[in-house]
Amino acid sequence: DLIKECDILHYHGQAVSQGYRDLVMWSGIMGKPVILHHHGSEIRNKDYPKFASHLVKYRYVSTPDLLKFVPDAEWLPNPTNLKDLKYSETNISGPLRIMHAPTNRDIKNTSAVEAAISKVKNDGLNVQFTLVENIKHSDLISQISKHDLIIDWVNPDFGIYGVFSIESMALGRPVICSLTDSLYEKYDIPIISINPANLADKITELYKNRNMLLKIGKASHDFVQKHHNPIESAKIVMERYKAVLD
């Protein structure tokens, strides 16, 4: 009944039927314009279903690495609830406080992070490192604000940034993450993108140039407000709805 009453069907993730055959009913038989919104595992490294190729009006992806798997799609950066993410300047005096919060140590390449921290400490840098795991989201946000530099995943096999990076940036914290630069060449993303082998050198560079953290932190906050703000995302999608219905 809900589908019968709607003007547009904006569908997220995996379709109900294998191969997106339900699109035949929604688009082909019921005549509903369909927008597909892909988010990852349902389409990454898979052939794009023929029904999804021919029976949809538009396609979004939530991360740019998915563009190579979804034909004629647009990257719509993940909207994030920014209401309780209050910007503050990072501290540029005292020890450099670094935080890493892996949900999966292998995927986040935590061993490389720990090795880099060990090296810079052995080199005499006054660094405080916090490894955060298995805590409530509200506590995680509080921890981010108490640190000066955030290290997300340093794993070139993925090359994208996620919600943890977005929330850290919104709070004004510089983020280190391994990005595939070609995916983001149209965007001036202030994330510090590095190869894991260069992590210790980058930490040392930032330690010796603490004012860089202030500049990157502010740019990070501004980037999130522009590209991950739910209101701005909604405006983009509403314009697409209007175009689909014209």
Side-chain angles (χ1 to χ4, degrees):
D1 290 339
L2 287 175
I3 294 177
K4 290 180 181 179
E5 295 174 2
C6 75
D7 296 313
I8 295 176
L9 183 60
H10 187 153
Y11 199 96
H12 289 260
Q14 180 66 52
V16 176
S17 64
Q18 187 175 4
Y20 291 81
R21 289 181 175 84
D22 35 354
L23 292 177
V24 175
M25 174 62 73
W26 298 337
S27 180
I29 297 175
M30 298 177 68
K32 299 294 183 180
V34 177
I35 294 176
L36 287 184
H37 204 141
H38 296 286
H39 293 280
S41 59
E42 83 278 5
I43 203 65
R44 186 180 283 113
N45 297 319
K46 298 177 182 177
D47 293 330
Y48 202 67
K50 62 179 180 180
F51 290 120
S53 295
H54 301 296
L55 295 174
V56 300
K57 292 293 187 180
Y58 205 71
R59 304 172 189 88
Y60 287 115
V61 295
S62 59
T63 55
D65 62 310
L66 299 177
L67 289 171
K68 65 181 178 180
F69 305 112
V70 182
D72 302 317
E74 176 185 352
W75 174 40
L76 183 68
N78 276 321
T80 302
N81 186 351
L82 305 176
K83 180 180 178 181
D84 297 322
L85 302 179
K86 305 302 182 184
Y87 170 80
S88 63
E89 289 189 345
T90 186
N91 188 359
I92 61 172
S93 61
L96 179 61
R97 300 169 300 172
I98 301 174
M99 174 180 161
H100 177 62
T103 50
N104 181 306
R105 290 194 177 205
D106 290 334
I107 290 177
K108 297 286 186 174
N109 201 6
T110 298
S111 60
V113 176
E114 292 176 323
I117 295 296
S118 178
K119 183 180 186 306
V120 298
K121 284 185 174 181
N122 289 337
D123 290 342
L125 272 61
N126 186 9
V127 168
Q128 291 181 359
F129 176 63
T130 305
L131 182 67
V132 176
E133 294 177 292
N134 302 317
I135 65 172
K136 295 189 302 182
H137 180 258
S138 57
D139 293 335
L140 176 66
I141 297 302
S142 177
Q143 283 292 327
I144 294 171
S145 297
K146 295 176 182 177
H147 289 78
D148 310 314
L149 176 64
I150 306 301
I151 303 178
D152 199 357
W153 45 12
V154 283
N155 188 339
D157 290 342
F158 292 87
I160 58 176
Y161 67 96
V163 174
F164 176 54
S165 288
I166 296 168
E167 291 177 335
S168 299
M169 295 165 71
L171 292 165
R173 296 302 174 264
V175 173
I176 290 177
C177 189
S178 296
L179 299 182
T180 300
D181 292 336
S182 60
L183 296 177
Y184 298 100
E185 58 189 2
K186 295 181 180 179
Y187 298 84
D188 188 17
I189 296 181
I191 287 177
I192 305 163
S193 177
I194 63 162
N195 185 286
N198 301 324
L199 180 55
D201 290 341
K202 178 55 68 174
I203 292 173
T204 300
E205 176 187 348
L206 294 170
Y207 182 89
K208 294 180 178 179
N209 298 274
R210 300 284 287 272
N211 283 326
M212 289 176 59
L213 298 177
L214 290 174
K215 181 178 179 180
I216 297 171
K218 182 59 168 64
S220 298
H221 169 78
D222 293 345
F223 178 88
V224 167
Q225 291 294 328
K226 180 178 180 180
H227 294 287
H228 294 279
N229 189 319
I231 300 300
E232 298 305 316
S233 298
K235 290 178 182 177
I236 294 172
V237 173
M238 288 300 296
E239 289 302 314
R240 179 54 54 190
Y241 288 170
K242 293 176 183 178
V244 166
L245 291 173
D246 283 344

